[in-house]
Amino acid sequence: MTSPVAAAPLTPTRAPAQTSVIAQTWALSVRSIQSLLRQPSLVIPSLIFPLFFAALGTSSFSRAIELPGFPAVDSYLDFALAGAIVQGILFGSTTGATALATDIENGFFDRLLASPSTRTGIIVGRMAGGMAYGAFQTLFFVLVLLPFGLTIKGGVGGVIGLMVSGTILALAIGALMSAMALITGSSEAVQGAFPLLFIALFFSSAFFPRETMSGIYGTLADLNPVSHLVEGMRDLVIEGVSASALARAILVPGVLAVISIAVSLRALRHRLSAS
């Protein structure tokens, strides 16, 4: 007579598929960050040019803070920080999307599709790398400009708010430009779309307050979501942490991120169906 086999105790375990997805996405995120570190020629412009524009603006427009309607600031440098952060993230996020387009051009993207890897992880990995770089850029600009007279009224909380805002903005821009890379499969097309982002930045209140604008330029700045994003980040610097400043600094790029991710995932599905 055979004795019954005792049932093994059930212990909760993580699903292998879920673990695999997380591991693959993490590996692709690390690869995205390492690709930036290994190509300083792609990274340095996104760090140097915003600082150059901030220094140039502070030198040229130092007395502009006395104009009627200009926010009360200690220096133009305090006013210019938010614009420098947004400008740098535009540069950096485009670089990540260009790398994705390069993967498509050289066939590495197709090899990833042929492997048993998660499809969305390919895009999420790129976005995660861009988000990490966006947070680093924000902190880098703050630390570099502090010795030159930058004052952040929000203190540590304000810096954290700026970093969160910069991270979400990097996600939004990275997803949008990744969609461009997936649709065209061309790094040149991604780079060619960058001036459109720069136009959106210049037709905003990144470099001058909306209160001093008039005519069509003022109207465009009022309608431009970048204006409200920059002003939320700026309030964290020149006024301090407040619900209004955090809402504009975080919710505006958050809404843009949701839209951009939807566009990017749709572009990914289209490329998968075409391949």
Side-chain angles (χ1 to χ4, degrees), residues 41-105:
S41 61
L42 299 178
V43 175
I44 291 177
S46 64
L47 298 176
I48 299 301
F49 281 111
L51 292 176
F52 170 77
F53 277 106
L56 180 63
T58 302
S59 175
S60 303
F61 306 126
S62 59
R63 298 188 62 182
I65 62 176
E66 301 173 5
L67 292 173
F70 207 98
V73 293
D74 295 333
S75 69
Y76 185 85
L77 182 61
D78 296 351
F79 180 87
L81 175 64
I85 292 174
V86 174
Q87 183 182 5
I89 290 175
L90 293 183
F91 272 114
S93 300
T94 303
T95 298
T98 302
L100 174 62
T102 301
D103 285 344
I104 297 174
E105 289 176 333

Side-chain angles (χ1 to χ4, degrees), residues 13-31:
T13 58
R14 183 187 293 271
Q18 182 180 356
T19 304
S20 176
V21 169
I22 295 175
Q24 292 169 14
T25 304
W26 173 255
L28 291 169
S29 301
V30 172
R31 175 180 178 268

